[in-house]
Amino acid sequence: MTDRSLLFEPLRMGDLVLPNRVLMAPLTRNRSHGDGTPKEWAETYYRQRAAAGLILSEATQISAMGKGYLDTPGIYTDKHVEGWKKIVDAVHAGGGRIFCQLWHVGRISHVSLLPEGKQPVSSSAVQADAQTYTANGFEQVSEPVALDEEGIAQTIEDYRNAAHCAARAGFDGIEVHAANGYLLDQFLQDGVNRRDDKYGGSIENRMRLLEDVLDAVVNEFPKERIGVRLSPLGQASDITDSDPEKLFSAVYQMLSERDLAYLHVVEAFPGSDGDSEQHALIRRLREQYDGVYIANGGYDADSAVREIEGWNADAVTFGRPFIANPDLPERYRRDAALNEPDPDTFYGGAETGYTDYPFLDEPR
């Protein structure tokens, strides 16, 4: 058995000390009310997983226009704040820490999910070859419209307001979701961004919206309580860039200079082959970031130890293992068997496959 003690060494992240390095990844579960208020089951679900070094909440839309999937939660109204506060209080009562992941899907949406049937928004009017989940099941995403200057200003304000709401709900911090082909990624990568104004063209311009968002949310949370998520391999939501290494080297350097809580990187997606060129790119980019680095992408306990031991990561987020194992850190500590997740209950449904996975020493 690999010595897993590294996973249970404390990690200082700004002014926050994490008790272990087994972190819970953001996990979309599609179990919120239609208005974006979390359902009551979520309080149990998150409390059960409070032993994680840090919980990153499921992706949570910053506005009605930021929604892209059926029954995902929001963090922009008083009702949302009330719903999330119960969850955050439950996590804290269990000794845990939780950040809210702020999300705007951009063009990865459908008119049926948006207010008054509006079209989704993006950096440019480029429709994605992708599907989303609506009341009718999986449907092709709708054609987007390009955000104009007023729309960009409103979106930046929506991020600030969402951060403010997250602070009111008691979250320990926030993660700005700039990965997986969603809105901020649609501005970063030139496969989508065809703009010719100050938000398009050069890498400096394409980074501008992410920087503006960070400038806005730092008014609600100190920088050491703000993280950013990126996915430089561009393996989701029909996102591409002509020179991803040049782009993301600049993004990593910009984030490093801001001295944020952490950088959280999706290094691989489920089903990806993880070829050597992609692995090498991830390693080269890693050298551009000087700060707490959180890795994500198909890790188990032993491979996470190797990443931390090799100074490639400071901590690792786990997704599917946390779905089925609310006490995942303790199972890793004891090298205990893991519950198998049920993919049929990942998205939508009730408490089955959500709050009913057994803990260690409980009957199966």
Side-chain angles (χ1 to χ4, degrees):
M1 174 184 168
T2 301
D3 180 1
R4 297 179 177 176
S5 59
L6 269 178
L7 292 179
F8 301 98
E9 289 187 0
L11 173 63
R12 177 168 289 280
M13 196 176 72
D15 63 347
L16 197 62
V17 177
L18 310 186
N20 64 65
R21 300 170 188 234
V22 181
L23 314 188
M24 179 171 158
L27 294 161
T28 295
R29 303 304 305 275
N30 303 87
R31 282 173 166 85
S32 293
H33 292 289
D35 68 351
T37 305
K39 287 184 178 175
E40 295 70 22
W41 312 319
E43 184 179 339
T44 300
Y45 169 76
Y46 281 102
R47 185 187 69 242
Q48 289 175 335
R49 289 154 180 81
L54 175 67
I55 293 174
L56 300 175
S57 82
E58 61 204 279
T60 304
Q61 55 252 13
I62 61 166
S63 67
M65 283 301 297
K67 183 176 182 177
Y69 300 85
L70 189 70
D71 295 339
T72 52
I75 185 69
Y76 55 92
T77 71
D78 289 345
K79 196 170 180 181
H80 296 157
V81 170
E82 292 170 10
W84 275 113
K85 188 175 189 309
K86 295 175 184 176
I87 295 166
V88 172
D89 288 349
V91 170
H92 289 163
R97 296 135 299 277
I98 182 169
F99 276 33
C100 185
Q101 190 189 62
L102 304 185
W103 191 31
H104 191 308
V105 302
R107 67 179 186 155
I108 307 301
S109 189
H110 189 271
V111 292
S112 67
L113 298 168
L114 300 176
E116 301 172 356
K118 291 182 179 178
Q119 287 178 267
V121 296
S122 185
S123 56
S124 302
V126 180
Q127 187 171 12
D129 181 13
Q131 291 187 320
T132 189
Y133 194 72
T134 74
N136 297 319
F138 284 103
E139 294 190 69
Q140 169 70 31
V141 298
S142 300
E143 184 177 355
V145 296
L147 276 169
D148 58 17
E149 187 173 326
E150 181 180 353
I152 289 175
Q154 181 60 58
T155 299
I156 294 167
E157 169 57 20
D158 289 341
Y159 272 100
R160 188 211 58 77
N161 176 65
H164 178 72
C165 289
R168 288 174 55 206
F171 280 99
D172 297 293
I174 54 173
E175 176 174 284
V176 174
H177 194 350
N180 298 1
Y182 296 123
L183 182 67
L184 295 178
D185 212 9
Q186 292 161 27
F187 272 80
L188 289 174
Q189 303 210 44
D190 62 16
V192 180
N193 188 336
R194 315 283 176 81
R195 304 177 73 95
D196 58 8
D197 63 0
K198 67 179 182 179
Y199 289 97
S202 69
I203 287 175
E204 179 183 17
N205 283 355
R206 285 183 276 135
M207 293 196 303
R208 192 181 307 276
L209 182 58
L210 174 56
E211 294 194 79
D212 287 351
V213 166
L214 292 173
D215 288 342
V217 298
V218 80
N219 292 309
E220 307 298 334
F221 279 93
K223 63 183 180 179
E224 62 268 17
R225 295 298 184 100
I226 299 171
V228 172
R229 195 181 208 205
L230 298 173
S231 54
L233 296 181
Q235 295 174 306
S237 303
D238 193 27
I239 197 80
T240 61
D241 190 80
S242 59
D243 193 343
E245 183 163 4
K246 185 175 181 182
L247 166 64
F248 283 98
S249 290
V251 177
Y252 278 42
Q253 290 166 18
M254 177 272 289
L255 295 175
S256 187
E257 290 168 2
R258 284 177 174 265
D259 197 24
L260 301 174
Y262 62 82
L263 171 60
H264 182 198
V265 177
V266 182
E267 299 181 343
F269 288 86
S272 64
D273 55 14
D275 65 49
S276 58
E277 287 186 18
Q278 292 177 338
H279 182 77
L281 173 58
I282 289 293
R283 289 290 168 264
R284 291 195 299 273
L285 289 172
R286 171 70 183 94
E287 296 174 0
Q288 306 300 315
Y289 184 76
D290 181 20
V292 173
Y293 180 95
I294 300 172
N296 171 265
Y299 286 99
D300 60 18
D302 293 340
S303 60
V305 168
R306 290 193 294 271
E307 287 298 288
I308 296 169
E309 202 169 40
W311 300 98
N312 295 315
D314 297 290
V316 172
T317 52
F318 299 88
R320 295 183 183 196
F322 255 119
I323 288 178
N325 299 276
D327 54 353
L328 185 66
E330 187 60 24
R331 288 177 185 265
Y332 281 165
R333 189 191 301 273
R334 294 199 219 172
D335 193 25
L338 300 183
N339 300 320
E340 285 295 322
D342 176 10
D344 291 340
T345 60
F346 282 176
Y347 306 111
E351 293 191 80
T352 299
Y354 190 56
T355 61
D356 61 346
Y357 284 104
F359 286 71
L360 277 168
D361 306 323
E362 284 185 354
R364 290 177 178 270

